[in-house]
Amino acid sequence: MPAFRQVGEKQLPQEIIFMAWSPKRDLIALANKVGEVLLHRLANFQRVWSLPPNENTGKEVTALAWRPDGKILAFGLADTKRVILCDVEKPESLHSFSVDAPVTYMHWMEVTEESSVLTSFYNAEDESNLLLPKLPALPKNYSTTAKIFSEEKSDEIMKLLGDVRLNALVLGGSSGFIEVYAYGMYKIATVTGVAGSCLGLCFSSDLKSLSVITEVQVSPDSAPEITYFQLDTSLLSVYLPEVTRMARKFTHISTLLQYIKLSLTCMCEAWEEILMQMDSRLTKFVQEKNTTTSVQDEFMQLLLWGKASLELQALLMNQLTVKGLKKLGQSIESSYSSIQKLVISHLQSGSEALLYHLSELKGMASWKQKYESLGLDAAGIEDAITAVGSFILKANELLQVIDSSMKNFKAFFRWLYVAMLRMSEDHVLPELNKMTQKDITFVADFLTEHFNEYLKDEDDDLVSPPNTEGNQWFNFLQNSTHLKESPLLFPYYPQKSLHFVKRRMEGIIDQCLQKPADVIGKSVHQAVCMCLYKGSKSEDSTPRLFKLPFMWNDKSSNLHYVLFTMLESSLSKIYILRRHTDVSRSANNGLLSVDFGNFLNNSINESSDTGFYSCVDAHFYDDETITVVLKENAEQEGKERILAQLPLSSVYVDEDQEREFSLNSNKRLDEQSDDIPARTVFLESQWRVLENMKAQYVAVNGIRKVSCVLSSNLRHVRVFEMDVEDDGEAEEEEEEEETTPIVGDEHEELTLSAVNHNSMCGGSAEADETEEHESSLDS
């Protein structure tokens, strides 16, 4: 009876280039060649959602990683050099940030170390929740925020923050690019000193060690060299409680900056609604009139002389109408109120929360014994606090401008309503007919004001800055020699727009929080450098989904394992490098090569040598097992691929023999391969022949006990539950083999004809979508 139970099979319309299982749910994330990210459920490989490529985010997916709690999926995009954090519940971006180089590999780990200080921190309630009011949800009726921070989901910021326990997203890219992002949000380390393009990396759960595999191009004419680096990151380990607290503050600040940005975007959309409504009424008039006077001049003449031009009269009476004017006035007043509400309830509350967290960070920076080594700079944080204060002042000024603009707007529409009644010779009520000099001034101000400048995303000075004449506090400050430049007062920028002050604030905060990333990055130093082997000079015509080597961090024993294969001639072997995360320790470090002996029917290829199988792909299933896809070395047409579980206990049986190998650091490892201790393993029951499938890649999850095998054409997948035996009968399997080469178990949805039709037509994401039903994640 075959091992592992097949639970799904699918022929996909696009080539899959990345696969990653969720650590907490029976969900697998896929990225295909056209830039689409998909989420599938284990059962029947049913699609949950798909996120199509986007010109704003990017179209070339190069890496996938799940947050350890399984609630957020991260993926890197090469064409736009961005990293996107996506919600598992819906195909929408929660957060994104730019990087300096395209990401080629990402690893998201969670710290498992425990200490009394950390435990008390994990269990303590966040004081900001007690001291700060809850941030109001952003309105849902704006396109930018309809998908995030909506009224239905007001806890999106906490979703981004995730668990209190520290987790870190490690990114690797070309030209030695390696960065560490706390909670996947804010950069806490920029690692330098690693050469080449990253093929794989693994951060130990105790933060002591970062292992990296890179492809180093020594010269344009030679094949690249695959090199293993082990980096000492002990500063992060020593200061783990401080790093956790600091990173938590950084992430709060990062989410608040996004909240403020979205609030401001909503305000701009509300103002654009006002402009669009005005423009829609006036555009035709501007296009048709032949005079050189502006629209404002036409209205000003009507205000001063009480007589409108024929063009303006036609516009008001025929196109706008009295009824339309009333409706337009109500709509614009509603938009003004929306902007005002956004400033008071969203912009101000977000800014005050930002001020609170930066002030706490400043207090942490003042504790130099704890935080100076991590690069927290009190002076830089003080500059950031000052910048936030300036932004709050600008937001308060905007409130005054909105209040003034609303007065002018109401006076204008009241005057225009009376003017139109007179044009139509209707009766004007006495109370409407009265217009004071102050009302006339309001109307004139409305025609000449530049309120929209405050919401323009430009660096130019305001054409009409606020009038500060008569402001007693402003005059007092100007005339005071001591208070004028006082550090106790936030600087005020009357000539600049709100967008300008916001951008300045973001730049100063980013600069202030960049220093710890540089300081921590410089503390990381290379402990081990081992040149493994020469890679292939040119890529295969088949895209490489996973490139061996692959790494794994054993959380229970704090060991790094590295899996790799070396030369074409020695493909029958895989190599396992085992190193302790504490680079000062030499115990439990070693290198072994693994041969796979014949464990199929002895009548098959009896004359073969000991090295019977080549490893096509391999991944760590859990701390004790490796999942491998094997092919026979003497592979001929019709030979089957094999999915197998390799227990590490069958490899590490003789510690003394393991230590016999002593590395010559002046030579590449492939030049010393004959001296590496070899182990031949004979698998007993934990393997299965993959009939009618040229399996090439595998993705596994030992926590959920599942695996997904992908064929070499990158379109045919099979999904297995690994810890149960297949309950299908041999006769049924034989019958299925006669009917179709790709049909799986009783859950398979696609028929052979449908698959053939899809493959002949090239397939499409849309066609695949219609065949699959959307499913709830909680069902």
Side-chain angles (χ1 to χ4, degrees):
M1 187 176 290
F4 325 136
R5 182 160 66 93
Q6 182 174 319
V7 293
E9 184 168 15
K10 187 74 74 178
Q11 192 84 4
L12 298 171
Q14 299 291 345
E15 294 178 356
I16 299 300
I17 55 174
F18 289 102
M19 302 189 295
W21 281 102
S22 165
K24 297 292 184 182
R25 299 181 183 180
D26 295 331
L27 299 168
I28 186 169
L30 310 174
N32 61 28
K33 205 170 184 179
V34 297
E36 189 179 17
V37 177
L38 310 106
L39 196 65
H40 282 258
R41 185 186 293 283
L42 170 66
N44 264 353
F45 211 68
Q46 187 180 36
R47 182 187 294 185
V48 178
W49 56 247
S50 65
L51 183 64
N54 186 304
E55 290 185 2
N56 298 322
T57 54
K59 300 179 179 180
E60 189 182 340
V61 181
T62 54
L64 284 177
W66 284 92
R67 195 168 75 180
D69 64 2
K71 293 180 180 178
I72 288 182
L73 174 69
F75 55 95
L77 296 152
D79 48 341
T80 55
K81 296 182 183 177
R82 294 193 71 78
V83 173
I84 310 296
L85 304 187
C86 183
D87 185 4
V88 68
E89 300 287 347
K90 52 193 175 183
E92 291 155 7
S93 168
L94 287 177
H95 182 70
S96 67
F97 56 88
S98 298
V99 288
D100 294 332
V103 175
T104 55
Y105 194 91
M106 56 172 59
H107 167 65
W108 208 332
M109 55 76 67
E110 184 176 58
V111 176
T112 58
E113 288 294 294
E114 294 289 353
S115 71
S116 57
V117 177
L118 277 173
T119 303
S120 61
F121 176 64
Y122 294 154
N123 296 333
E125 188 171 357
D126 190 348
E127 287 186 355
S128 61
N129 293 333
L130 303 173
L131 300 174
L132 293 172
K134 188 176 180 181
L135 288 176
L138 288 164
K140 199 178 179 183
N141 52 324
Y142 296 109
S143 61
T144 312
T145 56
K147 298 178 180 179
I148 180 172
F149 297 119
S150 65
E151 289 166 359
E152 293 175 359
K153 297 246 180 184
S154 58
D155 60 342
E156 296 291 358
I157 278 195
M158 294 316 296
K159 183 178 285 186
L160 275 172
L161 288 172
D163 297 331
V164 179
R165 182 181 292 276
L166 178 64
N167 60 70
L169 176 63
V170 192
L171 308 178
S174 55
S175 306
F177 168 82
I178 297 175
E179 290 183 342
V180 183
Y181 286 77
Y183 301 102
M185 293 280 292
Y186 220 98
K187 184 163 56 178
I188 57 165
T190 303
V191 180
T192 56
V194 176
S197 179
C198 179
L199 296 181
L201 46 79
C202 189
F203 209 170
S204 67
S205 57
D206 57 4
L207 294 185
K208 287 182 179 177
S209 180
L210 175 63
S211 288
V212 186
I213 296 284
T214 66
E215 187 177 62
V216 182
Q217 190 71 47
V218 180
S219 67
D221 300 328
S222 64
E225 292 189 350
I226 310 302
T227 307
Y228 166 80
F229 295 92
Q230 188 170 350
L231 306 174
D232 185 347
T233 57
S234 54
L235 180 71
L236 288 171
S237 177
V238 171
Y239 290 94
L240 177 57
E242 290 77 22
V243 169
T244 303
R245 288 175 181 272
M246 184 179 75
R248 195 72 180 169
K249 284 295 170 196
F250 282 12
T251 313
H252 268 294
I253 290 165
S254 185
T255 51
L256 286 167
L257 285 173
Q258 184 179 1
Y259 180 83
I260 289 171
K261 181 180 178 181
L262 287 169
S263 299
L264 196 53
T265 306
C266 287
M267 289 165 55
C268 292
E269 286 193 28
W271 176 244
E272 283 169 9
E273 282 183 12
I274 297 175
L275 293 180
M276 284 174 62
Q277 290 177 59
M278 296 287 283
D279 287 349
S280 63
R281 303 298 194 278
L282 300 176
T283 301
K284 192 173 182 182
F285 167 66
V286 174
Q287 290 172 345
E288 291 179 352
K289 75 185 187 70
N290 299 318
T291 59
T292 56
T293 55
S294 66
V295 180
Q296 286 90 341
D297 290 340
E298 294 274 358
F299 280 116
M300 195 65 80
Q301 286 181 19
L302 176 61
L303 176 64
L304 294 175
W305 312 115
K307 188 176 180 181
S309 65
L310 294 175
E311 295 92 342
L312 182 60
Q313 196 167 341
L315 166 78
L316 296 175
M317 302 309 297
N318 299 334
Q319 294 182 33
L320 189 58
T321 73
V322 175
K323 187 178 180 181
L325 179 68
K326 275 187 174 181
K327 192 174 179 181
L328 177 63
Q330 290 169 356
S331 179
I332 292 178
E333 187 173 357
S334 172
S335 297
Y336 267 117
S337 298
S338 297
I339 297 174
Q340 203 168 30
K341 183 182 175 184
L342 282 164
V343 176
I344 295 170
S345 61
H346 298 78
L347 217 56
Q348 286 188 334
S349 59
S351 303
E352 287 163 4
L354 195 56
L355 208 56
Y356 169 86
H357 288 293
L358 281 169
S359 299
E360 287 241 304
L361 201 60
K362 184 187 173 186
M364 291 161 61
S366 301
W367 194 351
K368 294 190 176 182
Q369 181 187 356
K370 293 280 188 182
Y371 293 96
E372 189 174 37
S373 300
L374 298 175
L376 264 191
D377 178 22
I381 298 169
E382 183 62 46
D383 291 341
I385 290 171
T386 304
V388 175
S390 296
F391 180 74
I392 292 174
L393 284 179
K394 200 68 188 179
N396 285 334
E397 179 194 294
L398 181 61
L399 276 180
Q400 297 173 15
V401 173
I402 292 172
D403 190 51
S404 172
S405 187
M406 284 184 75
K407 285 179 186 174
N408 298 340
F409 146 76
K410 287 178 180 177
F412 171 77
F413 269 80
R414 183 168 168 267
W415 161 77
L416 191 57
Y417 178 64
V418 172
M420 290 176 67
L421 287 176
R422 285 177 180 157
M423 288 177 197
S424 60
E425 297 182 352
D426 284 350
H427 174 66
V428 180
L429 296 173
E431 59 269 21
L432 291 175
N433 217 2
K434 294 176 183 177
M435 193 165 185
T436 63
Q437 186 61 43
K438 195 173 183 181
D439 293 333
I440 294 174
T441 306
F442 285 156
V443 175
D445 288 343
F446 181 81
L447 293 173
T448 56
E449 74 175 7
H450 297 270
F451 166 62
N452 60 313
E453 289 183 296
Y454 284 85
L455 299 178
K456 278 187 178 176
D457 193 3
E458 295 174 359
D459 292 339
D460 297 336
D461 289 353
L462 300 177
V463 176
S464 57
N467 185 5
T468 55
E469 289 182 18
N471 186 312
Q472 294 179 351
W473 173 249
F474 192 82
N475 292 336
F476 171 69
L477 289 181
Q478 291 298 313
N479 296 327
S480 172
T481 54
H482 297 291
L483 289 177
K484 195 174 182 180
E485 303 296 333
S486 171
L488 299 174
L489 299 175
F490 296 137
Y492 173 53
Y493 300 95
Q495 304 292 330
K496 297 297 184 181
S497 71
L498 187 65
H499 268 288
F500 174 87
V501 180
K502 179 189 75 84
R503 260 201 315 279
R504 181 180 175 277
M505 173 185 73
E506 288 173 336
I508 292 173
I509 291 176
D510 190 56
Q511 187 177 359
C512 137
L513 300 187
Q514 174 64 37
K515 191 174 178 184
D518 296 335
V519 171
I520 293 171
K522 286 175 183 174
S523 75
V524 176
H525 60 273
Q526 180 180 303
V528 176
C529 177
M530 188 187 302
C531 188
L532 301 179
Y533 59 96
K534 277 190 176 291
S536 56
K537 192 172 181 182
S538 59
E539 286 288 337
D540 300 335
S541 57
T542 304
R544 295 293 300 276
L545 185 79
F546 299 108
K547 296 185 177 182
L548 287 177
F550 179 73
M551 283 184 285
W552 174 262
N553 176 43
D554 185 337
K555 298 179 179 62
S556 59
S557 58
N558 284 326
L559 291 172
H560 276 314
Y561 289 93
V562 183
L563 280 177
F564 57 93
T565 60
M566 289 206 282
L567 298 173
E568 295 286 335
S569 58
S570 60
L571 270 177
S572 57
K573 296 182 179 181
I574 64 169
Y575 294 83
I576 305 176
L577 173 66
R578 183 168 73 169
R579 291 196 62 85
H580 202 278
T581 59
D582 187 346
V583 293
S584 63
R585 293 181 58 177
S586 58
N588 295 320
N589 293 345
L591 178 67
L592 286 173
S593 68
V594 181
D595 277 333
F596 291 92
N598 184 11
F599 48 86
L600 282 177
N601 191 319
N602 289 331
S603 63
I604 303 176
N605 291 338
E606 288 178 344
S607 60
S608 295
D609 298 330
T610 305
F612 198 80
Y613 298 100
S614 298
C615 179
V616 178
D617 195 20
H619 276 260
F620 277 95
Y621 180 74
D622 54 28
D623 293 342
E624 301 172 352
T625 313
I626 301 171
T627 303
V628 292
V629 175
L630 305 174
K631 68 175 181 179
E632 294 183 43
N633 283 340
E635 186 173 3
Q636 300 169 359
E637 199 67 34
K639 295 290 183 182
E640 308 289 1
R641 301 287 171 99
I642 294 165
L643 177 67
Q645 297 282 69
L646 170 65
L648 283 175
S649 59
S650 66
V651 177
Y652 291 100
V653 292
D654 186 355
E655 295 288 342
D656 293 329
Q657 185 180 352
E658 180 187 340
R659 293 197 187 99
E660 288 177 9
F661 175 70
S662 62
L663 173 71
N664 183 346
S665 58
N666 296 320
K667 290 183 178 181
R668 284 197 319 269
L669 203 60
D670 60 354
E671 297 170 344
Q672 309 172 60
S673 57
D674 292 339
D675 300 326
I676 298 173
R679 196 83 75 232
T680 301
V681 294
F682 296 88
L683 302 176
E684 296 178 1
S685 59
Q686 292 297 299
W687 56 271
R688 175 183 179 132
V689 175
L690 300 170
E691 295 94 348
N692 306 310
M693 183 183 193
K694 192 177 179 182
Q696 191 77 19
Y697 307 107
V698 64
V700 297
N701 183 346
I703 298 173
R704 306 302 298 183
K705 305 184 185 308
V706 289
S707 70
C708 181
V709 181
L710 180 67
S711 67
S712 58
N713 69 5
L714 306 183
R715 290 188 178 184
H716 180 195
V717 295
R718 283 184 189 169
V719 186
F720 296 93
E721 288 182 349
M722 301 298 284
D723 281 13
V724 292
E725 292 186 339
D726 198 326
D727 51 7
E729 295 182 4
E731 292 179 4
E732 292 177 351
E733 289 178 0
E734 288 174 10
E735 191 176 327
E736 286 173 354
E737 286 176 21
E738 290 173 6
T739 55
T740 169
I742 71 158
V743 171
D745 65 1
E746 68 273 16
H747 298 297
E748 177 58 72
E749 290 181 328
L750 299 179
T751 61
L752 177 62
S753 59
V755 171
N756 287 340
H757 175 75
N758 259 352
S759 58
M760 286 188 293
C761 299
S764 69
E766 290 79 5
D768 193 38
E769 185 85 47
T770 58
E771 291 167 5
E772 300 169 355
H773 301 290
E774 295 293 327
S775 63
S776 167
L777 291 176
D778 299 318
S779 61

